[in-house]
């Protein structure tokens, strides 16, 4: 009897010990050998927590389909958790980079049944965040934005032409979602303070395949700057080259904002002559409505009887470079080009074979998007562009549109089902990027490696956050911090839509805000205002020219190291919580601070200088940061800027 009691006690001890082991395994961890990063997954709370030296830098509540009794399996790079009792999906955590100063891992779910919806919610942790998609209301930092089941891809809506899924926080960690995941984002809606990443097989993504994949990558470093550079090295990539120095040194002059579609041989010659006679020069850009019809890629001889003579005359005036506007569409009725492309299967079709779509130069259902996912179409389109150059003597192109939202709603593309609809963006941009160092594009997704200017989408001529002057700076910062350092600002003064051209003050302040950015684009012109505006514009153009060597130096650093050309102010000191929130100043490289006036009727502003020694570019006065310069005087002819003093 005593023996039996002893066995019972032993069995009870074994059960209790076993229970403790089971309870202990409701939380699993992913550790690194070199980095002091630890990743925890708790099956009861569904919390994924990332710490660096004990400090939380990411916190994500995993989707509700995670089984509290999920099967744990160790792998060579981490572990998997299989939802055996529920939908059978597998959650994998995989170590990818393990360095003393930087670590990286991915959260992976492959072959998720298309009936399954996943929702992982990232806690914004009360800190500052940067990156995300380009937006019409481009607030900065981006934790201020609000999204409600927002499809996260390159699209026309909300100016979201650059749709990369990359977010960086001030704690030194980033979150990057694979471009093929069918991602929707809820931010500050149902759950304030969270960014929920919802993946589901619904339009605009593929709805025909049996499953989809979800992968997001988290990187961790000592601060945001080091984390971002880790992302550039391992996830985002860097440009393989950069635009021509001539696009930086001298302005680009576009016909668009001033003339819209009302151009012809006389208009463009007169415009060119005005530019030269007022003391300016640079690159001449022929914008919208030069074709016989949209998609013809053939000059309208009624408007331009001899385009080569036109371009020669412009060049003879002093313009060494000319470019022309191109789009990826063919309108119905543009014959014989539309029928020929349709017959050959060169237009994007939906699953019923319908190619009808629309864009801003058509009505609904009266246009088609050229299918760049087919190699034969890419070559056909490229040959047509080469013919334009041969016929006209033009040097290169400004490429417009390219967002996936211009396709029919449920497109059939030449590639994996899981890559729809975003595949067409990269295929279009990579096709046109081959046309030399004067190329500019406006859409992007995973194309950080291309050596071309990414142009800000059209800005509106207003002083506010609704795509107005403040967003010129914040869009510059957003593009740089998602890995596109070669940024072409939109035209000085905005586009003047709805018969609302810029005022004199807006034109001048816009130009000043633009001075330390990579290039200046004019269309509205200073001589349409008065002689003072011409004088200030010449001075600002000269100032931009004087810093062009610094811009080119930073271009080279973007190519070799992936450094941003115009980083946010906190780049100087990532721990500076004041600098982290500055939205109306920016850097050129690490050594120049631009602090333009972007408020109507203001003749002074407050300026923040981060750590370091700074020399006022206007007065030569020296300052040591961090410090505020309150009520710094900035009359209409002055743009405040500061140069780092190397000790």
């Amino acid at each position: 009897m005593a023996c039996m009691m002893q066995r019972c006690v032993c069995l009870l001890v074994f059960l209790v010990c076993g229970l403790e082991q089971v309870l202990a395994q409701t939380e699993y961890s992913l550790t690194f050998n070199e980095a002091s990063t630890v990743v925890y997954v708790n099956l009861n709370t569904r919390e994924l927590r990332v710490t660096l030296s004990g400090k939380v830098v990411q916190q994500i509540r995993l989707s509700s389909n995670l089984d509290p009794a999920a099967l744990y399996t160790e792998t060579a790079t981490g572990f998997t958790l299989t939802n055996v009792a529920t939908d059978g999906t597998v959650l994998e955590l995989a170590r990818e980079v393990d360095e003393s100063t930087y670590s990286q891992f991915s959260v992976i779910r492959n072959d998720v049944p298309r009936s399954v919806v996943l929702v992982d919610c990232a806690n914004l942790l009360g800190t500052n965040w940067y990156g995300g998609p380009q937006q019409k209301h481009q607030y900065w930092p981006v934790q201020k934005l609000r999204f409600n089941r927002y499809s996260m891809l390159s699209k026309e809506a909300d100016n979201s032409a650059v749709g990369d899924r990359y977010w960086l926080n001030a704690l030194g960690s980033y979150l990057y979602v694979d471009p093929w995941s069918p991602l929707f984002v809820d931010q500050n809606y149902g759950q304030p303070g969270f960014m929920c990443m919802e993946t589901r097989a619904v339009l605009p993504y593929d709805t025909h395949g049996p499953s989809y994949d979800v992968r997001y990558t988290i990187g961790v470093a000592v601060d945001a700057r080091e984390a971002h550079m880790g992302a550039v090295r391992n996830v985002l990539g860097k440009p393989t080259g950069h635009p021509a120095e001539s696009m930086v040194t001298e302005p680009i002059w576009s016909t668009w904002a001033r003339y819209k579609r009302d151009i012809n041989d006389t208009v463009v010659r007169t415009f060119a002559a005005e530019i030269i006679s007022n003391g300016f020069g640079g690159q001449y850009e022929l914008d919208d409505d030069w074709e016989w019809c949209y998609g013809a890629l053939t000059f309208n001889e009624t408007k331009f009887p001899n385009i080569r003579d036109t371009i020669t005359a412009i060049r003879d005036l002093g313009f060494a470079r000319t470019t022309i506007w191109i789009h990826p569409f063919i309108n119905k009725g543009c014959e014989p080009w539309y029928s020929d492309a349709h017959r050959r299967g060169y237009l994007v079709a939906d699953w019923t074979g319908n190619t009808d779509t629309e864009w801003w130069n058509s009505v609904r259902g009266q246009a088609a998007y050229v299918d760049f996912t087919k190699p034969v179409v890419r070559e056909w389109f490229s040959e047509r562009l080469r013919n334009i150059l041969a016929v006209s003597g033009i040097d290169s192109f400004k490429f417009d549109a390219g967002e996936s939202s211009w396709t029919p709603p449920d497109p059939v593309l030449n590639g994996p089902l899981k890559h729809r609809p975003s595949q067409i963006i990269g295929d279009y941009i990579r096709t046109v990027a081959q046309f030399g160092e004067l190329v500019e594009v406006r859409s992007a997704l995973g194309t950080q490696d291309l050596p071309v200017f990414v142009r800000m989408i059209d800005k509106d001529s207003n002083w506010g956050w609704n795509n107005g002057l403040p967003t010129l700076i914040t869009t510059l910062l957003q593009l740089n911090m998602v890995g596109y350092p070669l940024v072409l600002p939109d035209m000085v003064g905005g586009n003047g839509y709805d018969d609302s051209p810029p005022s004199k003050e807006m034109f001048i302040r816009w130009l000043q805000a633009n001075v330390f950015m990579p290039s200046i684009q004019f269309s509205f012109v200073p001589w349409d205002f008065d002689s003072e505006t011409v004088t200030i514009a010449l001075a600002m153009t000269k100032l931009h020219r004087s810093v062009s060597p610094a811009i080119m130096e930073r271009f080279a650093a973007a190519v070799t190291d992936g450094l941003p050309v115009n980083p946010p102010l906190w780049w100087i000191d990532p721990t500076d919580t004041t600098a982290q929130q500055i939205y109306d100043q920016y850097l050129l490289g690490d050594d120049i601070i631009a602090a333009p006036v972007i408020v109507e009727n203001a003749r002074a502003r407050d300026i923040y200088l981060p750590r370091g020694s700074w020399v006022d570019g206007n007065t030569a006065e020296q300052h040591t940061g961090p410090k505020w310069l309150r009520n710094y005087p900035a009359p209409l002819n002055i743009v405040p800027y500061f140069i780092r003093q190397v000790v």
Side-chain angles (χ1 to χ4, degrees):
M1 188 69 170
C3 185
M4 288 181 64
M5 288 292 293
Q6 186 177 14
R7 286 176 184 171
C8 288
V9 170
C10 291
L11 180 60
L12 181 60
V13 169
F14 174 80
L15 289 172
V16 170
C17 292
L19 181 60
E20 288 176 350
Q21 288 178 345
V22 170
L23 290 174
Q25 290 305 301
T26 58
E27 183 165 274
Y28 297 97
S29 62
L30 179 71
T31 58
F32 294 76
N33 292 324
E34 300 298 326
S36 55
T37 302
V38 182
V39 184
Y40 301 93
V41 175
N42 189 297
L43 295 181
N44 287 335
T45 63
R46 307 198 319 273
E47 181 185 78
L48 184 153
R49 188 171 73 260
V50 185
T51 65
L52 178 66
S53 301
K55 177 184 176 182
V56 176
V57 295
Q58 291 276 7
Q59 186 173 315
I60 298 174
R61 186 173 63 250
L62 297 169
S63 190
S64 60
N65 76 322
L66 182 61
D67 186 353
L71 176 64
Y72 170 87
T73 305
E74 190 171 337
T75 67
T77 58
F79 60 85
T80 61
L81 295 168
T82 304
N83 295 318
V84 177
T86 55
D87 54 25
T89 56
V90 179
L91 172 69
E92 179 181 3
L93 268 68
R95 258 185 321 270
E96 294 174 337
V97 181
D98 183 5
E99 300 167 352
S100 60
T101 58
Y102 173 77
S103 58
Q104 176 184 308
F105 70 97
S106 283
V107 179
I108 305 164
R109 299 178 179 96
N110 287 330
D111 299 317
V112 178
R114 73 180 187 192
S115 60
V116 174
V117 176
L118 301 173
V119 184
D120 288 2
C121 291
N123 191 326
L124 298 178
L125 297 172
T127 192
N128 295 303
W129 289 75
Y130 312 97
Q134 186 177 187
Q135 290 286 284
K136 190 171 186 178
H137 292 80
Q138 192 75 65
Y139 298 121
W140 188 267
V142 301
Q143 74 270 10
K144 302 173 184 177
L145 290 167
R146 291 168 60 87
F147 297 111
N148 184 14
R149 193 166 286 178
Y150 192 82
S151 57
M152 199 62 64
L153 74 176
S154 176
K155 60 185 179 182
E156 182 268 343
D158 307 310
N159 289 2
S160 189
V162 177
D164 290 75
R165 295 105 167 256
Y166 173 78
W167 294 267
L168 171 71
N169 72 32
L171 300 175
S173 183
Y174 70 79
L175 176 65
Y176 170 80
V177 182
D178 184 271
W180 311 126
S181 301
L183 178 66
F184 298 84
V185 166
D186 271 36
Q187 181 175 320
N188 292 321
Y189 258 82
Q191 302 182 64
F194 284 82
M195 182 181 73
C196 291
M197 301 171 288
E198 178 180 304
T199 51
R200 57 169 65 215
V202 297
L203 293 176
Y205 303 106
D206 176 65
T207 61
H208 300 273
S211 64
Y212 63 88
D213 300 335
V214 182
R215 182 189 189 105
Y216 56 85
T217 301
I218 292 175
V220 180
V222 67
D223 58 41
R225 176 172 175 151
E226 293 304 314
H228 180 71
M229 293 311 297
V232 169
R233 291 191 303 271
N234 297 285
V235 175
L236 298 175
K238 59 188 180 183
T240 55
H242 58 71
E245 185 173 0
S246 59
M247 293 185 80
V248 172
T249 306
E250 299 296 334
I252 299 167
W253 298 84
S254 170
T255 59
W256 173 247
R258 196 183 195 211
Y259 298 104
K260 299 300 189 287
R261 299 174 184 85
D262 298 326
I263 58 170
N264 56 34
D265 178 79
T266 300
V267 168
V268 300
R269 287 177 188 245
T270 302
F271 186 37
E274 284 183 19
I275 295 166
I276 298 299
S277 67
N278 280 279
F280 296 89
Q283 176 176 315
Y284 195 96
E285 190 165 82
L286 189 65
D287 212 284
D288 194 349
D289 208 12
W290 55 269
E291 303 171 88
W292 274 117
C293 49
Y294 288 114
L297 296 184
T298 302
F299 287 92
N300 182 335
E301 294 181 2
T302 302
K303 287 189 164 195
F304 299 97
N306 188 322
I307 188 60
R308 181 168 284 275
D309 283 355
T310 307
I311 300 304
T312 299
I314 292 171
R315 186 169 284 118
D316 289 345
L317 283 169
F319 290 94
R321 314 173 312 280
T322 55
T323 52
I324 195 167
W325 173 79
I326 301 291
H327 59 85
F329 307 105
I330 306 180
N331 281 10
K332 280 187 174 181
C334 187
E335 299 295 352
W337 300 279
Y338 175 85
S339 294
D340 178 62
H342 192 277
R343 176 180 55 82
R344 296 189 187 195
Y346 286 3
L347 307 176
V348 179
D350 65 16
W351 285 77
T352 70
N354 180 28
T355 63
D356 293 351
T357 188
E358 63 178 300
W359 62 302
W360 63 89
N361 280 333
S362 79
V363 297
R364 183 180 297 275
Q366 294 300 305
Y369 192 153
V370 174
D371 191 354
F372 290 91
T373 66
K374 298 176 179 177
V376 65
V377 179
R378 295 197 289 268
E379 178 52 34
W380 168 78
F381 193 83
S382 298
E383 181 57 33
R384 299 175 76 204
L385 294 180
R386 287 190 286 269
N387 184 62
I388 290 174
L389 301 182
V391 166
S392 66
I394 284 170
D395 297 292
S396 192
F397 304 102
K398 166 188 177 177
F399 292 101
D400 215 342
E403 300 90 338
S404 63
S405 57
W406 300 116
T407 69
D410 189 11
V412 177
L413 301 177
N414 182 42
L417 288 174
K418 293 176 180 179
H419 290 186
R420 299 176 184 178
S422 294
Q423 177 189 344
I424 197 166
I425 304 160
D427 287 347
Y428 170 54
I429 300 303
R430 293 185 185 282
T431 298
V432 302
Q434 67 181 300
F435 283 92
E437 59 184 5
L438 302 180
V439 165
E440 58 176 279
V441 301
R442 88 170 196 187
S443 55
L445 183 64
T447 51
Q448 286 91 341
D449 59 304
L450 295 179
V452 299
F453 265 134
V454 177
R455 176 177 65 86
M456 294 182 193
I457 204 163
D458 297 13
K459 294 293 180 186
D460 294 316
S461 302
N462 69 68
W463 293 94
W465 284 100
N466 185 18
N467 203 39
L469 177 54
T471 69
L472 181 75
I473 296 173
T474 54
T475 304
L476 175 79
L477 300 177
Q478 178 267 335
L479 290 171
N480 271 270
M481 297 314 296
V482 294
Y484 296 98
L486 309 175
V487 178
L488 180 62
D490 195 35
M491 300 166 196
V492 172
N495 286 263
Y497 292 132
D498 300 321
D499 294 321
S500 300
S503 65
K504 169 185 173 177
E505 182 187 11
M506 181 185 293
F507 180 89
I508 290 171
R509 293 307 198 190
W510 202 298
L511 173 57
Q512 291 171 346
N514 199 153
V515 165
F516 299 94
M517 299 180 187
S519 184
I520 296 175
Q521 281 198 96
F522 287 108
S523 186
F524 292 119
V525 294
W527 52 92
D528 278 348
F529 299 102
D530 56 26
S531 60
E532 181 189 30
T533 309
V534 174
T535 299
I536 293 173
L538 285 168
M540 293 300 117
T541 304
K542 181 180 179 180
L543 178 57
H544 176 82
R545 189 182 302 117
S546 74
V547 300
S548 62
I551 296 171
M552 296 308 300
E553 180 180 341
R554 198 63 174 197
F555 273 14
V559 173
T560 57
D561 301 319
L563 286 166
V565 173
N566 292 113
L569 199 63
W570 60 256
W571 192 258
I572 297 294
D573 180 3
T575 64
D576 187 333
T577 55
T578 299
Q580 288 172 12
Q581 300 182 64
I582 299 294
Y583 62 85
D584 57 357
Q585 300 175 219
Y586 64 92
L587 295 170
L588 169 54
D590 290 347
D591 297 327
I592 298 176
I593 295 174
V597 173
I598 57 172
V599 176
E600 187 175 13
N601 296 323
R603 297 297 182 266
R605 61 157 296 170
D606 293 342
I607 297 172
Y608 184 73
L609 300 179
R611 183 180 63 196
S613 298
W614 301 95
V615 177
D616 189 319
N618 290 295
T619 68
E621 185 177 354
Q622 296 187 6
H623 301 275
T624 300
K627 69 183 291 188
W628 279 101
L629 302 180
R630 300 294 185 183
N631 206 34
Y632 180 97
L636 196 56
N637 65 331
I638 292 294
V639 55
Y641 70 101
F642 299 81
I643 303 170
R644 186 202 290 268
Q645 185 176 33
V646 179
V647 179

